[in-house]
Amino acid sequence: MWERHYEAGQTHLQAQNHDLAILHFQSALATAPEAGFIHEALIEAYMQQGAWEEAFEHLQGLLEQFPQQSTYWRLLGDLYLAQESYTQGLYAYRSGLEKEPQNLLLVQKATEAALYLHQLDTALSFIDEALTWAPRAIEIHLLRATVFYLKGESKTAAEICERLYLAYPDRLDILSQWLRYLSTNSPDKALAFLIALAQQKPEHQAVLATQAANLQRSIGEVEEAKQSLRLALQDPGLTQRSAYQLLHNLMHPMIPQSEAEITSYRQQLEQWVREVHEQTPPPLSYLESLLTPYLKILSLLSFLPYLNIDPLAARKAYGAFLQKGLPSRPALTQATFTLPHLVFVLHNNSPVFQFMQGLLVHWPAGWNITIASVSSNAFDQTFEQSLKSQRPDFNYLQLSSQPALALQQLEHLQAQIIFYTEVYADTPLQTFLASQRLAPVQVTSWLSSGSSGLNTLDYYISPRCAEQKQAQDFYSEQLVLTDTIPTYIMPPAFTAKVPSRSEYGLPEDKHLYLCTHLLFKLSPDFDFALAGILEKDPQGIVILQARPVFENIHRKMLQRLEQQIPHCMDRIWFVPVMEQSDFYGLMHLADVFLDPFHFGGGTTSFEALAFDLPIVTWPGERLHGRITYAYYQRMGVLDAVALSPEDYIEKAVNLGTQKSLNQALRHKIAQHKHKIFQEEAAVTELSECLSRLLPKPNN
């Protein structure tokens, strides 16, 4: 009798019919109460349903009867982890290991719990102990590699995976982890290995080709990445074929060589938008392994503003495409809160931290605040650790890197408002979470990279001084304008002695035009503005910044400059990425800071203005070409705001060559910059704005 109920329960569990699965497992236990595997299945059904109290009560009864049963301690640990109670989860796993020290699954679970708590040494102790009695346990070795990677020792992590892969060459998951660690330090080496391996193992051609495409795009080799994807698409058995086809079709140049190249890509994108509305996506899944290729497309679409392409239509089309393919989600259930419940979704190590930290530290009372951290590194808690000491009254949640689990975590909060800080600006996971309806009201802000195009985001909060009158046309969300800039940012501190130019290898007698933005931001038409400045100022030097990890990007930028403005190359200098104090010293030595066209500065402009460094800016059409302009508007200082590219060149040269004019503007900036730093009114206004957006109570 119990067999029939157990099999029916498993069938319903797979179909996510949790209520029926629970009833069948309970019926099975009525005739087979000693069957531990049925108890496990029942607890799994409770957990999938989110019935935490029922699962906990059932486990408590089992542990009272069978305190030496390590399986039940493991399930208790799983239950705690599902509720983000990592300390209690680690305790449960330790208790299980005391009963059965040589249980590999418990070792894995305990190690993972320690990693969530960022207790790397504790995790390593579990691993080292297990390897003394299970030296060939592959999964434990992989966890050891993960620990070293999180400790910042990616070379050691790669060496561990390399030895494993050589011993188990058919384990593509080991290969994938090895390449991820290897590409951190040596993307070219990882790519060369992939190409050689593809020749040796033609049966893995599609998998290796998609890996190669990921690496090639990450180092700026877009055409080569598209060739790899074409190779992968030749395999009729390629999984997630539609995602890789989309990746191929939507891949764009990271450093376009001309405006004509951007125009060609824009036309291609417009054609895709027209076609995608008629396409039916294959059934998609929330599982990370199946969803990842589709998330990569979110990364592609996040790049569009850098190319001066309005992202709205493409993001709107792809958001609808994703939503058509994904399983429907249950309706929201709303809890009753004493205080309004607001969740901020933040990336742990993003520059946006500088914009958000002051806001959160000074956030007024009267709110129930949860900080939900999302990161490419699921165990990184840097953001939380720096904020907790100042706001211990907040709740803190580390979101899983797995989309399905992260969705469950946010749903479980039952928030009234979720504030997604960086939609289409950082990790694809945050954008994906924003594409789901997880709260009655969902908002984003000026810190995101333009409109999301998602019908699940209701409001876009932006400073009035940064937007044009017709700006609503650029947003699918309802645009909410604030009188202040929604941030509370501290001016950067520089207490060191100002260095000499010679310490940076720079000439003392030249005019320095600094533009240390990511090279992605420098559009081909900006090259001609640089040329115009150098032509009008024979004593001028433009300083750009190259990042060693983007060596190919640097090379492609040099290639474009040599093609477009070859006569200026001897006066376009590159400096490396440097320590913050050294960078601030460089700002003190520059004559003028240049804001790129179309996608200008945010953090960098705040830093330059803090040091009274004049920034020349030409406001673009959309928000992210108008941020520096917004700062100037707020300050009431518009001397360096250009009306056209020609005026931009003129203003830059005048400030670079006329010392008295430059000093006068520096003095004016110094008098008014307090208006954009540590603005308490911005905290108050944003809080009041969100209060007005709270969902109305049901009648």
Side-chain angles (χ1 to χ4, degrees):
M1 177 67 74
W2 67 264
E3 292 94 338
R4 182 165 56 83
H5 282 298
Y6 177 72
E7 291 173 3
Q10 290 289 7
T11 300
H12 286 298
L13 191 60
Q14 291 176 8
Q16 297 188 342
N17 298 323
H18 301 121
D19 288 336
L20 290 174
I22 288 167
L23 285 173
H24 279 289
F25 291 141
Q26 288 172 336
S27 299
L29 285 172
T31 55
E34 302 298 320
F37 61 92
I38 303 179
H39 286 290
E40 290 183 49
L42 176 59
I43 292 165
E44 177 65 28
Y46 280 138
M47 289 172 63
Q48 286 192 23
Q49 189 185 45
W52 313 117
E53 291 182 9
E54 290 85 346
F56 187 75
E57 183 179 347
H58 193 82
L59 267 173
Q60 272 191 319
L62 289 171
L63 286 169
E64 288 173 5
Q65 282 186 276
F66 310 103
Q68 296 302 312
Q69 178 56 263
S70 63
T71 299
Y72 298 143
W73 286 105
R74 174 180 58 81
L75 288 170
L76 180 62
D78 292 348
L79 178 58
Y80 280 130
L81 254 65
Q83 298 175 86
E84 297 89 45
S85 299
Y86 303 120
T87 300
Q88 292 168 295
L90 180 57
Y91 170 79
Y93 294 137
R94 281 185 186 273
S95 299
L97 282 170
E98 289 173 3
K99 285 37 174 197
E100 190 179 355
Q102 295 191 0
N103 184 314
L104 276 178
L105 182 56
L106 271 170
V107 171
Q108 283 183 252
K109 295 282 188 176
T111 302
E112 290 167 359
L115 290 177
Y116 274 110
L117 291 165
H118 210 64
Q119 297 178 8
L120 302 184
D121 291 336
T122 300
L124 204 55
S125 69
F126 286 129
I127 290 168
D128 290 343
E129 171 64 25
L131 290 176
T132 62
W133 49 263
R136 296 183 180 277
I138 300 174
E139 307 308 324
I140 303 300
H141 281 288
L142 285 173
L143 276 174
R144 187 166 181 265
T146 299
V147 172
F148 279 107
Y149 181 70
L150 296 176
K151 287 167 75 75
E153 300 178 36
S154 56
K155 184 177 179 181
T156 302
E159 289 170 352
I160 294 170
C161 290
E162 179 179 9
R163 289 194 295 271
L164 283 176
Y165 181 70
L166 292 175
Y168 304 96
D170 291 327
R171 286 283 301 267
L172 294 180
D173 59 325
I174 298 176
L175 173 65
S176 177
Q177 192 164 333
W178 176 26
L179 290 170
R180 183 165 73 251
Y181 300 155
L182 184 61
S183 62
T184 300
N185 293 320
S186 309
D188 290 327
K189 181 180 176 182
L191 184 58
F193 174 78
L194 264 179
I195 293 170
L197 193 62
Q199 295 171 344
Q200 299 168 19
K201 295 180 175 290
E203 69 274 18
H204 297 324
Q205 174 179 292
V207 173
L208 296 172
T210 56
Q211 291 273 5
N214 292 338
L215 278 171
Q216 286 163 328
R217 182 180 177 273
S218 72
I219 61 176
E221 299 289 354
V222 173
E223 285 307 314
E224 292 80 356
K226 294 181 77 169
Q227 289 176 15
S228 293
L229 286 175
R230 284 195 288 272
L231 184 64
L233 288 164
Q234 292 175 10
D235 183 351
L238 178 66
T239 57
Q240 280 70 56
R241 168 175 292 276
S242 62
Y244 288 115
Q245 187 66 63
L246 283 171
L247 278 169
H248 176 271
N249 294 345
L250 294 178
M251 201 168 287
H252 52 67
M254 297 182 79
I255 301 291
Q257 296 299 295
S258 66
E259 283 295 316
E261 190 174 359
I262 295 176
T263 299
S264 175
Y265 178 73
R266 184 184 288 110
Q267 293 169 347
Q268 175 186 335
L269 189 66
E270 290 169 352
Q271 177 66 27
W272 174 80
V273 169
R274 288 191 292 269
E275 293 172 353
V276 75
H277 293 297
E278 308 300 323
Q279 296 176 5
T280 301
L284 304 181
S285 167
Y286 291 110
L287 293 176
E288 182 181 20
S289 59
L290 301 177
L291 192 59
T292 294
Y294 293 94
L295 296 184
K296 291 184 184 300
I297 297 164
L298 297 177
S299 294
L300 287 177
L301 297 180
S302 71
F303 208 86
L304 296 181
Y306 291 123
L307 301 175
N308 193 25
I309 294 176
D310 185 349
L312 178 57
R315 292 176 179 178
K316 191 173 183 178
Y318 188 63
F321 179 85
L322 267 183
Q323 289 168 351
K324 280 194 292 186
L326 286 166
S328 59
R329 302 193 64 77
L332 293 175
T333 57
Q334 279 301 291
T336 301
F337 295 98
T338 306
L339 299 175
H341 189 192
L342 169 60
V343 174
F344 288 96
V345 179
L346 297 134
H347 185 273
N348 293 12
N349 289 325
S350 165
V352 164
F353 168 66
Q354 296 180 55
F355 291 92
M356 291 301 303
Q357 184 182 24
L359 277 174
L360 295 172
V361 167
H362 294 87
W363 199 262
W367 291 83
N368 176 12
I369 301 292
T370 297
I371 307 298
S373 300
V374 59
S375 172
S376 54
N377 176 351
F379 307 113
D380 188 349
Q381 298 179 350
T382 304
F383 180 88
E384 293 181 20
Q385 290 167 356
S386 63
L387 186 61
K388 276 182 178 177
S389 61
Q390 299 177 81
R391 291 304 300 254
D393 54 317
F394 289 174
N395 307 301
Y396 294 88
L397 170 65
Q398 176 68 52
L399 291 173
S400 170
S401 61
Q402 299 181 34
L405 292 179
L407 284 171
Q408 288 180 9
Q409 288 175 294
L410 281 181
E411 279 180 323
H412 181 65
L413 293 176
Q414 295 184 307
Q416 292 171 292
I417 300 182
I418 299 181
F419 192 130
Y420 294 96
T421 56
E422 294 184 78
V423 179
Y424 275 115
D426 215 297
T427 63
L429 180 58
Q430 183 171 167
T431 309
F432 175 73
L433 293 172
S435 74
Q436 308 296 300
R437 175 58 71 176
L438 304 176
V441 176
Q442 301 192 149
V443 306
T444 188
S445 77
W446 69 298
L447 300 174
S448 291
S449 175
S451 176
S452 69
L454 299 170
N455 60 16
T456 49
L457 276 175
D458 307 298
Y459 300 101
Y460 193 104
I461 301 172
S462 187
R464 192 183 309 277
C465 56
E467 298 283 4
Q468 299 192 71
K469 290 183 179 179
Q470 71 276 23
Q472 181 63 66
D473 295 343
F474 298 130
Y475 297 96
S476 59
E477 306 88 351
Q478 177 64 46
L479 185 60
V480 177
L481 298 176
T482 58
D483 293 326
T484 58
I485 298 174
T487 186
Y488 182 105
I489 195 165
M490 302 284 290
F494 182 77
T495 57
K497 179 183 177 183
V498 176
S500 65
R501 288 186 174 186
S502 61
E503 292 179 56
Y504 294 87
L506 298 171
E508 299 285 352
D509 59 343
K510 302 294 183 184
H511 306 137
L512 298 187
Y513 299 88
L514 194 61
C515 185
T516 49
H517 290 277
L518 287 168
L519 296 180
F520 310 138
K521 287 188 177 184
L522 310 188
S523 60
D525 59 345
F526 187 63
D527 299 351
F528 297 105
L530 298 181
I533 291 168
L534 294 176
E535 288 163 1
K536 283 181 173 289
D537 180 4
Q539 298 302 308
I541 292 177
V542 168
I543 307 294
L544 305 180
Q545 189 171 61
R547 288 160 169 75
V549 293
F550 296 139
E551 183 180 340
N552 288 31
I553 301 296
H554 181 203
R555 188 172 67 248
K556 286 186 177 295
M557 175 57 75
L558 285 174
Q559 177 181 319
R560 189 181 83 194
L561 294 172
E562 287 170 352
Q563 180 181 353
Q564 294 213 119
I565 53 173
H567 58 293
C568 297
M569 291 304 295
D570 61 333
R571 289 192 288 138
I572 296 179
W573 293 16
F574 285 85
V575 295
V577 175
M578 53 191 73
E579 294 291 333
Q580 190 177 68
S581 60
D582 293 331
F583 176 61
Y584 290 165
L586 180 61
M587 280 190 162
H588 279 81
L589 299 175
D591 294 297
V592 182
F593 199 90
L594 301 177
D595 203 36
F597 296 170
H598 316 308
F599 201 116
T603 308
T604 312
S605 293
F606 263 127
E607 291 169 334
L609 293 171
F611 301 132
D612 308 330
L613 176 59
I615 310 171
V616 179
T617 187
W618 175 43
E621 186 179 30
R622 293 180 296 278
L623 171 66
H624 287 90
R626 302 172 66 84
I627 299 297
T628 304
Y629 170 64
Y631 299 166
Y632 273 141
Q633 282 266 74
R634 191 72 181 149
M635 292 164 58
V637 178
L638 302 176
D639 308 52
V641 176
L643 301 176
S644 67
E646 295 76 20
D647 191 36
Y648 182 99
I649 294 168
E650 190 74 22
K651 281 183 163 54
V653 171
N654 288 342
L655 286 167
T657 58
Q658 299 178 33
K659 188 173 182 179
S660 59
L661 183 68
N662 189 296
Q663 288 300 319
L665 181 53
R666 287 175 183 267
H667 180 68
K668 190 179 289 189
I669 291 170
Q671 285 184 312
H672 295 279
K673 65 186 179 185
H674 67 277
K675 298 174 184 176
I676 61 172
F677 290 107
Q678 297 172 274
E679 192 172 7
E680 293 182 5
V683 185
T684 302
E685 185 178 20
L686 183 59
S687 173
E688 291 175 351
C689 171
L690 292 173
S691 292
R692 291 192 295 271
L693 299 182
L694 280 166
K696 301 295 184 290
N698 295 325
N699 295 326

